[in-house]
Amino acid sequence: MMKKFAKILGVGVLTIGALAACSETDVKTGGSNNTEGKKTEQTQESKKDDGKKFNAGITQEVNGLKINIAEVKITDKQIQVGLNIENTTQQKMTFYPDQGNAIVGDMQLTANMFSGSGNISGDVNGGVKMDGVVVYDAPEGKTIDVNKVTEIRLDMGDVFNDETMDAKNATIAVPVK
């Protein structure tokens, strides 16, 4: 029984790993590491119908964490948000933007932890800069009308200060350009 459970668990982990390896993003993070996603020939070919990409250029500080939304790409199936963060304090912050939501009109898109790139989730020590791409998937069976999107509201969750136990919500409105 235990061997069977271990085998099932192992297959599940391999499947998740394979799905994570398949993800591709192609927006810039604006950070010093600029973990722009993997580009392939298929990605280059599919750009013809790939929606709208623009430089957001929005910076907001939440609880001592500077959040810079660099580049955004909207397709009918997902929204990719390239961002970089900087802990401007000397205290450890905890932040999980890849577990949040994006709101477009009356549609809520959920972040896909396995489709993004870079390292922007978890503990951010004092003075540290990080960058990556968060991918928000459209709900199953729904599509995003790219040309009608005028604003994306990103509900990225709380920025939690481990020392003071203070938490502030990071909600950022991104006008579509």
Side-chain angles (χ1 to χ4, degrees):
M1 178 72 174
M2 192 63 170
K3 285 183 181 180
K4 187 174 186 177
F5 177 74
K7 186 183 277 188
I8 291 171
L9 182 63
V11 169
V13 169
L14 286 174
T15 302
I16 290 171
L19 289 173
C22 292
S23 67
E24 290 183 16
T25 58
D26 64 352
V27 295
K28 293 184 171 104
T29 64
S32 55
N33 295 330
N34 195 23
T35 55
E36 185 175 355
K38 302 169 226 159
K39 289 187 177 184
T40 64
E41 289 178 31
Q42 179 185 9
T43 303
Q44 295 296 336
E45 289 171 11
S46 65
K47 277 194 168 190
K48 297 171 198 143
D49 62 344
D50 246 4
K52 181 187 290 190
K53 189 190 315 190
F54 62 94
N55 182 358
I58 295 176
T59 300
Q60 185 170 321
E61 191 164 321
V62 179
N63 209 16
L65 188 71
K66 190 185 323 182
I67 304 167
N68 179 46
I69 309 296
E71 194 169 61
V72 176
K73 180 178 177 183
I74 307 168
T75 68
D76 62 344
K77 297 286 182 199
Q78 64 180 210
I79 297 173
Q80 298 176 15
V81 178
L83 68 141
N84 60 78
I85 58 177
E86 178 183 358
N87 185 345
T88 62
T89 74
Q90 291 307 307
Q91 299 152 349
K92 186 189 301 183
M93 300 290 180
T94 304
F95 185 48
Y96 291 95
D98 61 354
Q99 294 180 16
N101 298 298
I103 297 95
V104 176
D106 63 354
M107 185 187 310
Q108 179 170 305
L109 293 80
T110 303
N112 185 332
M113 294 176 17
F114 304 109
S115 291
S117 63
N119 182 19
I120 53 169
S121 271
D123 292 336
V124 185
N125 288 296
V128 169
K129 297 178 182 181
M130 299 164 67
D131 58 310
V133 177
V134 178
V135 176
Y136 300 90
D137 292 326
E140 191 171 327
K142 293 191 176 187
T143 58
I144 302 166
D145 189 342
V146 176
N147 296 319
K148 289 188 177 178
V149 178
T150 58
E151 180 182 81
I152 304 165
R153 201 171 78 227
L154 301 173
D155 181 4
M156 304 177 104
D158 288 341
V159 175
F160 180 76
N161 183 314
D162 288 12
E163 191 174 305
T164 65
M165 306 298 247
D166 185 34
K168 299 229 185 315
N169 187 269
T171 301
I172 301 172
V174 179
V176 175
K177 299 177 182 178

